[in-house]
Every structure is written in structure tokens, then in C-alpha cells.
Amino acid sequence: MNSKKIVALIVFTLADLIIFDVFVNVYTEYLWFKSLNYGQVFVEMLKYKLSTFLLAFSIIFVVLTLNAFTLKRAIMDFTGEKIRYFHEIDAIVSLIVAYGFSEDWLRLVFFVNSTNFNLKDPIFGYDVSFFVFKLPFVEVILQITAFAIFLCFVNSFVYYIYHFRWVRSWEEFKEVFPDLGYLHVSILFAISFFLIGVHLYVERFELLFSQHGVVSGASWVEVNVLMPALLLMSFVSFGFGLACLKIMGFEKIALLFGIYIIVVAFALGVIPFTVQKLKVEPNELQMEWNYINYSIHYTRFAFGLDKIKEFPYEVKYDLSYEKLEKHRGTIKNVRLWDHRPLLDVYRQLQQIRTYYFIKDVDVDRYYIDGNYTEVMISARELSTDLLPTRAKTWVNEHLVYTHGYGVIASPVNVVSREGLPDFIIKDIPPRGKVNVTESRIYYGELTNDYVVVKTKLKEFDYPMGDKNVFTTYDGTGGVKIDGIKKFLFAMRFGDVNLLLSHYITDESRIMIHRNITDRVKTIAPFLKYDSDPYVAVINGKIYWIIDAYTVLDRFPYSDVYDGTAYIRNPVKVFVDAYNGTVEFYIVQEDAVLKTLEKAFPIFKRDMPSDFRKHIRYPVNLFELQAKVYAIYHMTNVEVFYNREDAWDTPQEVFENGKIPMEPYYVILSIDDKPEFVLMIPFTPKGRENMIAWMCARCDKHYGEIIVYEFPKGKLVYGPMQIEARIDQNPEISKLFTLWGQVGSRVIRGNLLVIPIEGCILYIEPIYLKAEKSHIPELRGVIVSYNDYVVMRGTLEDSLKAILGKSVEKPEKVKSAKDLVRRALEYYNRAIESVKNGNWSAFGEFLNKLGETLRLLNESVK
């Protein structure tokens, strides 16, 4: 066998292996989609990817083939002999380039299924869908064609140089170069000019996305100077292309090209720059007025700010027991547990075993004992990475340790006597006030590897004392690996154990894509997903809820924030933690979603009411909207231009440092009924007083955003001003110092701004963490109102200190004798705490002793 045959055999063998590997991955992926009843979605995505690939391949290969035909004729015209041309190389190059362009398959989806926004751009009068759905795919076609022409130039240069390699000088080369060769080169340059002309024509539309100066979108110069110049130069480019076809010779083409560059630089560079400097900049506000106005209104639309309800908020200082009683639902749900220290508490008290892990703490709401209650909740997942080294066998990692178990939950405002949360769901098996009938978590945030269930081996279920409980999966999740499927999945994962293990039967099911974020991204990669999925117990089952977004990186006249020019949250994704089913529910109509829905009909509109009770406005979207609104609440063009009323989100103190204030969920009475909302305050840019607060509603009026703005001339303390007043309070500072001296670390939690009928309460929980303990304890609650700052052991006591009466009911007036008895009791408990070394308890009783002595002093006046 000669060397050529050996090389050919090796090439064909490698090609067969690659094709087989692709087949295995595609087919096993299809089996997985089919197991979730999304087989048609997989087929549709494959169709669009293949269509984009074939379109790109066809354009590039046809252009290269036509170029090869002309190239061979030109060389044969001179040599009189046929030349060998490697069409195989053209095919391989076309395949490689087309594969790269196939990544733009989503642009084909948008182009084919485009849906109108019913919003026209202010310059051309086209529906916005043209710019965001049609135009991007047209640009892809132009890019493919331009790259093909570039390859033609490279190809032609190589072949001409090779076949005329014997020529010794440039003059000799020009003499012997055939006329057909000159015509070939002229055609290539002519096509290049034609493509440039088309590009310049399309570039006029691109100006609506420009980001510079005071305008997001096309400015005065771009609309009135640059756009006409682009149109003119588009026609000029076609003229230069036709001129190329009529001339022969490299020097003439080079001269023509040089003249073209000078004309383009003057028309598209010098003239617009001169007009901008001499005419626009001296009169910028007047001349850019309309374009700034476009930018304001289109940006507000693109970020969902155009429907925000704005109200004045008259600040009052008449907080009373009656008001707090009226807003009992808010007061009883003030979040005293910050998610950061609470995560440490959950991990220390409820991870149970080393292989369990609690990733984060989420916020939701449930009805507990008939009361609408804000709740912190976490999933207890199993991570095989945390197994002891000797236990990390293939059998354990893939067949035995297959799932986590249960959730942990506690009300945001309830604290035990030890300063710990009061669990409403805890332990293994889970018990508490929320019924969990299916506790196993096969799909989660930490489930990154495949497992096989329904094998001959029992799966580890949960620990019970010194023993373990085992189970066999009885759900519908996974792909049955009977027959040839076992071999295919073994090939996919490169894992021979799937073939050799006797524990795996024809009834066994393999679970892949178990990480919930990876799972939903694989099913619907055309959506963007929130970075913080949260867990919920619905009808006794554990679900993961993920917010899905439709995002565009450009939108006419819209500003761009963090690479985003348009965003909506039209879909909520529910993932069953036991069976792995994935449901996409629509909560908001959107042109982008309607376009995707035409191509991929996976979305549902009939969300069950029990699911709807647990959807919430996403923090990631709210933060972005707040960032944009801080500037784009200014709808007056002159005010916007001068940035006279720019806002910012405030900072707060956490532990010992400043951090940006996070939006927080709270239960407020917007329409005289407690409801779950997400809120954030605003401060003026560069100042620390509070100017407004924004909230997004999560219940009956889901998605509605309200902004309440304080009177401009009235001082309302901002979060950092309250933090400064806390630091300046001598009693609180003294207590912090005392706690620090006895080895405890003071952790200052989220500062919450709670509006109640015009009154503003500021509430900050205080935690203590001993040096040798990993468990933070809630040891105080700071409440600030008007000019007062107090800290007591509980929220109710702090509110009493502010108001002089109880939140729940008026306290019975105590006699001086009762107060003396109480003071003595607190004193004895404080001394006992010192003897036991419990300094946090000592601080609490000392605090209560001081409050009792204050009341005693008032009673004898």
C-alpha cells in the first residue's frame, strides 16, 4: 500500500470517527429531549442550525468554485495546459467557515419568524422588528459573502504566484500576465466595491444603535449629514465597481481604489466631523433636542420603564401604635434574618451530614397558620465532591448517592431565645408547618454529573441515627437505557462502566443535564436565565423556579447597560426536583417571545394558581431597571441633558465595610392589603439623603412597578446617614465595643427601609458571632425613626422604645415595685451570664436592665 493510500485511509478513518461521535452526541441528546416531551424542539433547533450551516457553506463554496473556474481559465489561457486545482481544500475551508457562521442560527430564527413590536423608529418609520429581527440576518449574509470574496483574493494570489513563480520582475509579470487574469482581478475588485456599497447602504440603519455623546442612537449630524453621505457613497461604490470592469491593469485598479479611499474619508469622516464641531457642539442642546427625546423614550420602553406608576410620597412624622396595628402584616414580616449570616446558621444546624450542602438562602412567602408570612428557604442538596476520598467510587458517585433530601425554612422575623431562627421545615425526614410529601432532590444547582437509577442497587436516601435508609427511584425522570442506548451513552460519556456494570438493567434510567440551569439552557438556549434560581414547596413537592428573560444587545435609540439594550421577563420556568420535568409559563407578552414561540411552541399560558403564588419579581432585572431609571426618570430633555436630577442606589454597612444596597423583598400594604414586593431606595447622585423608593409588585398585580418620590425640599435620611447615626449613638457604640472586646464579632445585617403611611422606619438586625463558633446569633434590632435611634433585643422592644407602647397591644402600666423586681431579675441574669462566659447574653440583659431603669425613672417623676 503506497503512502497516498495510507494517508487517505487515515483521513477517512478520522472522518468516520468524527461523524460517529457527532451522531452519538446528537442522538443521545435527542433521546433526552424526547424524554421531556421536547423532541420537536430539538428537531426544530437542529433544522435552523443546519439551515444556517448549509446556507453559509453554499455561499462560500459556490463563490470559491466560480473563482476557481475563472482562475483556471486564466492560467490555462497562458500556459495552454490544464492545472491541478484542489477543490477538496475549498470544500474543507467552506465547511470550517460555515461551521463558525452556524453559531448565528438564532438570527435566522428571528428573521423567519419576525413579529412586529407595533412601535416605529423615528427616522425611517419602520417597525422596530426590522432592526432587531431582519437586519442582523442580512448582515450575517453580507459577512459570509465578504469573507468568501476575501478567500477568493487569498486563493487567487497563491495560485498566480505559484504558476508565475519563474517571473523575475514586476514589469515582466505585467507583460506575461494574461488578459483573462486581468479581467478576473477586475471582477474581484468590482464585487468588493458592490459589497461595500451594500454595506454602506445598510450602515445607515446601524446608526440608530450608535452610542456616543449625549444621545443613544443617531444624533443630528448622523441623521442630517452622515446618513445622506452613506447613501451617496453607496451609489458611488457601485459606480467604482462598474469602472473596475472597464479597466485593465493593476496600477489603474490601485489608483481607482486610492481615489475611492480619499472620497470615503472626506465624505464620511471630514465633513461630519467639521459640521459636528462648528455647528452642532456650540448649539448642542437645541440641535440634539429631538434626538435626546427619542433616546429617553425608547430607552424607557426597552427596559420596561415606560409603564412605571409615579406618585409623590408626603413624609409624615405621626407614627403611632394604631398605624402599626393597621400594618400588622408588614411589621410581623420585617426581615430580621439577613440571608448572609442565615446561610451560616442553616449550614451549621441543618446540613446534617458532610455530603449534604446548602448553596444559598432564598426568599418566598407562604401561609403559615393562616398568616401571610415571608419565609427564608433553602434546599439540602447532595454533593459527591464532599464524599470521603475512599467513598468516591464509580458505583457511589453514579448509582448510590443520587439525590439530596428536603428543604429548610424559617420565617424572616421569628427568633428563638437563643438568637436562632425558628424553623418551620427542618431535619431529615423534613417536618414542620409546611407539608413536604416528596423530599428527594435529583435535580438542583449542585447536581453536575449523571446518575443511573432503577438499578439492582438501592440508592442512599437519608441517614437515620447510626444507620442509613435506602430507596429505589419511582419517578419518570431520565432516559431508559435499554438495548443499544446503553452503548451509545457509554460512548457519549467515555465511560466503559456503563457497559460493564451488572447493576444496570434494561429498566434502568440515566439522568443527564441534572443541573437545573444547564437543563433549561439546553432546552431553550434562546432565552437568558437568572443567576439565582429559588426553591419552593408546592402541593408537597419541591420545585425550582427560574426567571427567563428575552434580551437584545441593541435596540433603536436605546441606551446600553452591561451589554443589554432591551430586556423583558416574560417566562417563569418550573423544574420538578424529583422528576426533572421542565415547564415554561408565560407571565408577560413580548414581541421577542412571540417570535420565538412561532419557532418553538414550548410555552404555556395557563399557569396553575398554586404555581402563581410563588412567582416573584427577579432581583437581577429589578437592579438593572433601577440603575437605568436612576437616569431615565428625567423625561424633561433639558434636565436630562444637564443631569440635574440624577439618582443613585445607596450604600449600606455590612459587617465592617460599605457595600451597595441590595433590593430586598418585603411585605407591604400598597392597596390596604399586605402583599409581597421587591423594593430599593434612591439617593441623589453624590449625596446620601433619600429621594425616592421603587417597588415591584409580586402578587395580584405582578410586574407592576411603582416609584414614590419624596418632596424635593424636605430632608429624608438615606441609609448611610442612618448608618452614621447608629455609629454616633453612644449606647450602641459602647455595646458594640463591649461585644468586640469579649471575642465576639458584630455583624450588621441589611438596613431595611420600611415605609408606612408616609412614615419611614429604618430597621437593622445585629448579629453576634463568637470566635470559636460558626453560628451567628441575632442579638439586637436597631430601629430608627425621625431623629431617634434605639436598639433592643427584639423588634417589638425596639418599637416600644420608639413609640412608648407595644406593637401587639398596649402594655399594662407597671408599678414601681414591679419595675424594681424586673430590674433585679435582669441584673441577676446578667451576673450569671458573666459567670458562664456568655457575653452576648450579658449584653442583652444589660440592655434590658437599662430600659427597665428608664421606665422606673419615668414612673417616679
Side-chain angles (χ1 to χ4, degrees):
M1 186 179 291
N2 58 39
S3 58
K4 289 185 178 180
K5 290 183 177 180
I6 293 174
V7 171
L9 180 62
I10 292 173
V11 170
F12 279 113
T13 302
L14 289 174
D16 288 341
L17 289 174
I18 293 171
I19 292 171
F20 179 72
D21 182 64
V22 171
F23 166 76
V24 167
N25 281 279
V26 170
Y27 184 65
T28 53
E29 197 76 345
Y30 170 73
L31 291 174
W32 177 75
F33 270 83
K34 189 177 178 182
S35 72
L36 291 167
N37 295 319
Y38 290 130
Q40 187 59 36
V41 175
F42 179 83
V43 172
E44 289 297 315
M45 282 197 290
L46 190 60
K47 182 181 76 174
Y48 282 108
K49 290 177 182 179
L50 283 174
S51 297
T52 309
F53 171 81
L54 291 174
L55 179 63
F57 175 80
S58 300
I59 292 173
I60 296 168
F61 189 68
V62 167
V63 170
L64 288 176
T65 301
L66 291 174
N67 181 68
F69 174 78
T70 310
L71 180 64
K72 288 190 293 182
R73 288 290 303 273
I75 296 175
M76 286 174 58
D77 186 53
F78 175 73
T79 63
E81 298 177 357
K82 287 186 177 181
I83 68 168
R84 180 167 182 192
Y85 186 88
F86 295 93
H87 290 281
E88 299 87 351
I89 295 178
D90 284 355
I92 293 171
V93 170
S94 299
L95 286 170
I96 294 171
V97 176
Y99 179 78
F101 278 107
S102 68
E103 296 296 316
D104 289 318
W105 64 274
L106 193 54
R107 296 191 178 190
L108 177 60
V109 173
F110 284 138
F111 182 84
V112 173
N113 302 283
S114 176
T115 302
N116 284 348
F117 279 82
N118 295 320
L119 174 71
K120 293 184 177 181
D121 83 275
I123 305 302
F124 298 99
Y126 297 160
D127 189 89
V128 168
S129 59
F130 167 78
F131 296 92
V132 298
F133 296 148
K134 300 285 189 181
L135 190 61
F137 185 70
V138 171
E139 292 173 340
V140 169
I141 299 300
L142 284 175
Q143 291 168 11
I144 294 171
T145 308
F147 196 80
I149 296 301
F150 169 75
L151 291 176
C152 289
F153 272 108
V154 173
N155 203 6
S156 302
F157 177 80
V158 171
Y159 271 89
Y160 281 135
I161 290 297
Y162 177 77
H163 286 90
F164 291 89
R165 60 188 181 278
W166 49 269
V167 177
R168 297 181 178 180
S169 68
W170 174 245
E171 294 299 326
E172 183 181 358
F173 179 79
K174 288 189 295 181
E175 288 181 10
V176 300
F177 197 70
D179 291 342
L180 193 56
Y182 280 117
L183 178 61
H184 176 215
V185 174
S186 296
I187 290 173
L188 287 179
F189 273 96
I191 294 174
S192 299
F193 278 119
F194 295 154
L195 283 174
I196 291 172
V198 175
H199 170 73
L200 293 177
Y201 184 85
V202 171
E203 188 65 21
R204 298 178 309 131
F205 305 122
E206 289 286 328
L207 292 176
L208 270 64
F209 307 124
S210 63
Q211 301 288 325
H212 57 79
V214 298
V215 179
S216 294
S219 63
W220 189 93
V221 162
E222 288 169 326
V223 172
N224 295 279
V225 179
L226 191 53
M227 282 185 184
L230 284 168
L231 183 60
L232 175 63
M233 288 309 303
S234 174
F235 292 119
V236 169
S237 299
F238 278 92
F240 271 78
L242 293 173
C244 270
L245 297 175
K246 295 184 178 182
I247 62 175
M248 292 285 192
F250 296 113
E251 286 92 347
K252 292 178 181 179
I253 292 176
L255 178 62
L256 191 69
F257 197 74
I259 294 171
Y260 180 79
I261 290 176
I262 293 172
V263 173
V264 167
F266 185 76
L268 305 183
V270 175
I271 293 177
F273 178 80
T274 303
V275 173
Q276 174 70 24
K277 289 295 180 182
L278 300 182
K279 183 174 182 178
V280 176
E281 288 190 4
N283 309 284
E284 191 171 52
L285 177 58
Q286 176 189 348
M287 300 193 71
E288 302 285 17
W289 186 282
N290 288 336
Y291 306 101
I292 294 173
N293 195 40
Y294 297 152
S295 179
I296 293 171
H297 290 288
Y298 280 80
T299 299
R300 286 172 65 93
F301 174 84
F303 287 92
L305 307 178
D306 55 320
K307 295 181 180 179
I308 285 182
K309 295 183 178 180
E310 300 169 338
F311 299 104
Y313 195 85
E314 189 63 38
V315 180
K316 302 175 183 177
Y317 297 100
D318 57 352
L319 187 66
S320 63
Y321 165 75
E322 288 74 18
K323 276 193 176 182
L324 294 183
E325 182 68 19
K326 181 179 176 182
H327 294 269
R328 178 192 295 263
T330 297
I331 297 301
K332 292 181 75 69
N333 285 283
V334 170
R335 193 176 67 177
L336 301 182
W337 282 106
D338 188 296
H339 64 93
R340 289 159 290 202
L342 185 62
L343 179 59
D344 289 335
V345 177
Y346 276 14
R347 285 175 176 172
Q348 290 299 314
L349 300 182
Q350 285 293 312
Q351 281 188 165
I352 309 295
R353 293 289 190 272
T354 57
Y355 40 76
Y356 286 127
F357 191 74
I358 297 170
K359 183 177 182 291
D360 59 10
V361 180
D362 300 312
V363 184
D364 200 358
R365 68 283 199 197
Y366 293 79
Y367 277 93
I368 307 298
D369 298 328
N371 297 315
Y372 194 50
T373 306
E374 189 174 343
V375 166
M376 310 294 277
I377 185 169
S378 296
R380 186 187 292 107
E381 296 193 64
L382 187 147
S383 173
T384 53
D385 292 336
L386 299 176
L387 288 172
T389 303
R390 291 188 177 182
K392 289 183 179 180
T393 64
W394 183 87
V395 170
N396 278 342
E397 291 181 332
H398 296 285
L399 307 184
V400 178
Y401 289 92
T402 57
H403 58 275
Y405 206 91
V407 296
I408 308 99
S410 60
V412 297
N413 66 320
V414 182
V415 185
S416 69
R417 292 179 62 87
E418 295 79 20
L420 299 174
D422 182 27
F423 294 106
I424 56 172
I425 311 176
K426 64 178 180 178
D427 299 341
I428 301 178
R431 56 190 178 89
K433 296 181 178 180
V434 176
N435 186 34
V436 184
T437 56
E438 182 49 75
S439 303
R440 298 168 184 86
I441 301 175
Y442 284 86
Y443 303 88
E445 296 185 89
L446 304 177
T447 46
N448 297 317
D449 209 348
Y450 75 87
V451 296
V452 183
V453 296
K454 290 190 176 181
T455 66
K456 293 179 182 179
L457 274 180
K458 292 279 189 179
E459 302 166 46
F460 167 75
D461 203 20
Y462 58 85
M464 180 172 284
D466 296 333
K467 298 180 180 180
N468 292 331
V469 177
F470 291 84
T471 188
T472 298
Y473 183 73
D474 192 33
T476 60
V479 180
K480 186 181 286 190
I481 49 173
D482 53 338
I484 192 67
K485 295 177 188 174
K486 185 192 297 186
F487 170 75
L488 293 176
F489 277 102
M491 292 297 297
R492 172 179 175 140
F493 292 110
D495 194 341
V496 71
N497 290 302
L498 283 170
L499 284 174
L500 301 180
S501 176
H502 297 297
Y503 299 122
I504 298 175
T505 71
D506 285 348
E507 295 300 314
S508 299
R509 305 178 75 90
I510 186 168
M511 294 180 172
I512 63 175
H513 294 302
R514 294 197 303 137
N515 181 289
I516 54 172
T517 301
D518 169 62
R519 194 173 188 81
V520 297
K521 282 183 177 179
T522 304
I523 297 171
F526 35 81
L527 298 172
K528 303 295 183 184
Y529 296 93
D530 197 89
S531 62
D532 183 29
Y534 61 101
V535 70
V537 179
I538 305 174
N539 296 326
K541 299 185 68 176
I542 299 174
Y543 288 89
W544 294 95
I545 305 175
I546 308 175
D547 285 284
Y549 306 105
T550 50
V551 177
L552 300 173
D553 58 3
R554 56 187 202 169
F555 194 87
Y557 274 102
S558 174
D559 206 342
V560 178
Y561 283 77
D562 303 322
T564 299
Y566 172 95
I567 188 169
R568 293 290 187 274
N569 172 222
V571 175
K572 304 290 183 179
V573 188
F574 287 77
V575 183
D576 186 323
Y578 184 67
N579 289 316
T581 55
V582 182
E583 305 289 348
F584 297 82
Y585 289 103
I586 296 176
V587 294
Q588 179 187 16
E589 294 297 338
D590 168 49
V592 180
L593 186 70
K594 287 179 180 178
T595 298
L596 293 170
E597 191 177 12
K598 289 180 184 179
F600 312 108
I602 64 174
F603 305 103
K604 299 180 179 180
R605 284 179 167 78
D606 53 340
M607 183 188 293
S609 59
D610 289 330
F611 281 22
R612 188 169 289 276
K613 291 175 184 177
H614 292 277
I615 64 173
R616 64 185 197 185
Y617 204 86
V619 172
N620 286 1
L621 174 60
F622 190 69
E623 282 183 320
L624 178 59
Q625 288 178 312
K627 184 177 181 180
V628 179
Y629 187 79
I631 299 298
Y632 283 90
H633 71 277
M634 296 179 284
T635 55
N636 180 282
V637 172
E638 186 170 359
V639 173
F640 182 90
Y641 176 81
N642 294 315
R643 293 295 197 270
E644 295 176 15
D645 191 25
W647 296 352
D648 203 354
T649 50
Q651 291 188 314
E652 63 174 338
V653 173
F654 179 73
E655 295 196 14
N656 296 318
K658 293 181 182 180
I659 61 171
M661 193 171 193
E662 299 177 347
Y664 50 92
Y665 293 100
V666 65
I667 290 180
L668 290 180
S669 296
I670 303 293
D671 294 329
D672 296 326
K673 182 181 178 181
E675 59 179 288
F676 195 58
V677 304
L678 178 63
M679 67 172 290
I680 188 77
F682 287 109
T683 58
K685 187 79 172 177
R687 305 213 310 269
E688 294 184 339
N689 60 291
M690 196 157 59
I691 192 69
W693 60 279
M694 173 191 279
C695 73
R697 306 173 83 171
C698 301
D699 291 339
K700 181 180 178 181
H701 301 281
Y702 177 84
E704 183 180 290
I705 300 178
I706 304 175
V707 173
Y708 294 94
E709 188 171 352
F710 298 122
K712 288 286 196 297
K714 182 173 286 189
L715 172 64
V716 180
Y717 291 123
M720 283 307 300
Q721 290 174 320
I722 295 298
E723 299 282 17
R725 294 181 63 207
I726 292 172
D727 291 335
Q728 294 164 6
N729 185 285
E731 294 182 8
I732 296 175
S733 297
K734 188 183 300 181
L735 195 54
F736 283 177
T737 302
L738 175 63
W739 282 337
Q741 288 174 347
V742 297
S744 293
R745 183 159 62 95
V746 177
I747 301 174
R748 292 164 69 163
N750 274 125
L751 177 66
L752 306 177
V753 180
I754 307 295
I756 297 178
E757 289 191 22
C759 302
I760 304 296
L761 278 174
Y762 305 85
I763 299 174
E764 183 173 275
I766 302 297
Y767 312 90
L768 283 185
K769 193 173 184 179
E771 278 185 0
K772 297 181 180 180
S773 172
H774 296 287
I775 304 178
E777 299 177 1
L778 181 62
R779 283 304 174 192
V781 180
I782 297 174
V783 174
S784 177
Y785 167 68
N786 200 352
D787 291 326
Y788 303 100
V789 178
V790 300
M791 185 178 82
R792 300 291 185 267
T794 66
L795 174 61
E796 183 177 345
D797 286 344
S798 294
L799 289 170
K800 282 186 197 179
I802 287 286
L803 298 176
K805 55 180 71 177
S806 171
V807 178
E808 298 295 335
K809 57 184 179 179
E811 183 178 347
K812 182 180 177 180
V813 178
K814 301 217 175 259
S815 65
K817 186 176 180 181
D818 290 332
L819 291 171
V820 170
R821 188 182 298 113
R822 181 193 286 182
L824 184 59
E825 179 187 352
Y826 287 149
Y827 172 77
N828 290 332
R829 288 190 180 184
I831 296 299
E832 184 179 350
S833 298
V834 172
K835 292 178 180 178
N836 295 331
N838 189 345
W839 292 99
S840 61
F842 167 74
E844 181 181 347
F845 290 125
L846 185 65
N847 203 12
K848 291 182 176 180
L849 175 61
E851 174 63 15
T852 305
L853 292 175
R854 184 186 65 79
L855 293 173
L856 179 63
N857 181 58
E858 291 179 357
S859 69
V860 297
K861 283 183 180 178

